[in-house]
């Protein structure tokens, strides 16, 4: 497979996570010297679109997946709390659509999907849709600018949108 996502742990800079276009996740604890393939049977076998690592704990990471290339519309978002040994599905409550990006904002989780942007303040237990005026187009990237509290979303063919980010 081709590497499609890479993320580094900021709390432990030796920790790296990588995802590939064939749905595999990998981790390295020695800055890429050696790699271990994640083997949890609950990981979807679709394109890894993004990996995000918690800035306070490199053992906590999130991975998003897209089945678009396989004709699947299921939302796939998973979380590990043990450095990738096990992964939990936290996509329940998201619409049936590929997940293209995942961003951590403190304890908040923001995801970009083919049908909009969603926020969870409880580790994926429930989701709130953001961007009331956002066109119904795939959102491929989401970025948060902390100094200004600005959330932006890049859509497929519809430009970059500023989204009101609910503080709190």
């Amino acid at each position: 497979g081709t590497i499609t996502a890479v993320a580094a742990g900021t709390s432990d800079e030796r920790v790296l996570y990588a995802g590939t276009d064939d749905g595999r996740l990998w981790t390295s604890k020695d800055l890429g010297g050696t790699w271990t393939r994640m083997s949890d049977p609950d990981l979807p076998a679709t394109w890894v679109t993004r990996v995000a690592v918690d800035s306070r704990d490199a053992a906590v990471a999130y991975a998003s997946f897209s089945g678009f290339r396989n004709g699947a519309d299921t939302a796939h978002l998973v979380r590990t709390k043990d450095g990738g040994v096990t992964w939990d599905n936290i996509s329940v409550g998201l619409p049936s659509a590929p997940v293209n990006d995942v961003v951590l904002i403190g304890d908040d989780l923001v995801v970009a999907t083919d049908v909009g942007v969603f926020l969870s303040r409880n580790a994926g237990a429930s989701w709130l849709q953001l961007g009331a005026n956002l066109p119904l187009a795939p959102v491929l990237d989401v970025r948060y600018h902390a100094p200004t509290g600005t959330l932006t979303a890049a859509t497929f063919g519809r430009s970059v949108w500023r989204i009101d980010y609910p503080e709190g």
Side-chain angles (χ1 to χ4, degrees):
T2 301
I3 295 173
T4 55
V6 177
T10 56
S11 65
D12 183 347
E13 296 171 351
R14 297 167 298 161
V15 175
L16 301 172
Y17 292 86
T20 59
D21 63 355
D22 58 1
R24 295 180 180 167
L25 284 171
W26 304 79
T27 189
S28 174
K29 308 289 190 226
D30 59 4
L31 202 56
T34 57
W35 290 90
T36 302
R37 180 179 168 196
M38 306 296 98
S39 59
D40 190 307
D42 293 328
L43 289 173
T46 61
W47 188 288
V48 179
T49 55
R50 195 76 70 218
V51 178
V53 183
D54 190 309
S55 63
R56 297 161 294 190
D57 184 354
V60 177
Y62 299 82
S64 60
F65 298 80
S66 173
F68 174 77
R69 287 165 179 82
N70 302 340
D73 289 334
T74 306
H76 292 293
L77 182 66
V78 295
R79 173 188 62 210
T80 183
K81 296 187 281 186
D82 56 15
V85 176
T86 59
W87 293 82
D88 299 313
N89 176 14
I90 61 167
S91 55
V92 174
L94 284 171
S96 292
V99 181
N100 303 311
D101 197 0
V102 56
V103 175
L104 293 165
I105 304 170
D107 290 328
D108 293 352
L109 192 59
V110 176
V111 297
T113 74
D114 275 8
V115 294
V117 177
F118 296 84
L119 164 70
S120 178
R121 291 208 155 117
N122 51 15
S126 63
W127 296 93
L128 168 70
Q129 187 168 9
L130 300 179
N133 296 324
L134 193 64
L136 187 57
V139 177
L140 304 177
D141 291 291
V142 175
R143 295 290 180 261
Y144 181 71
H145 186 251
T148 61
T150 303
L151 184 67
T152 54
T155 66
F156 180 79
R158 299 296 298 218
S159 192
V160 176
W161 292 76
R162 179 184 233 160
I163 296 175
D164 290 332
Y165 185 74
E167 296 299 325

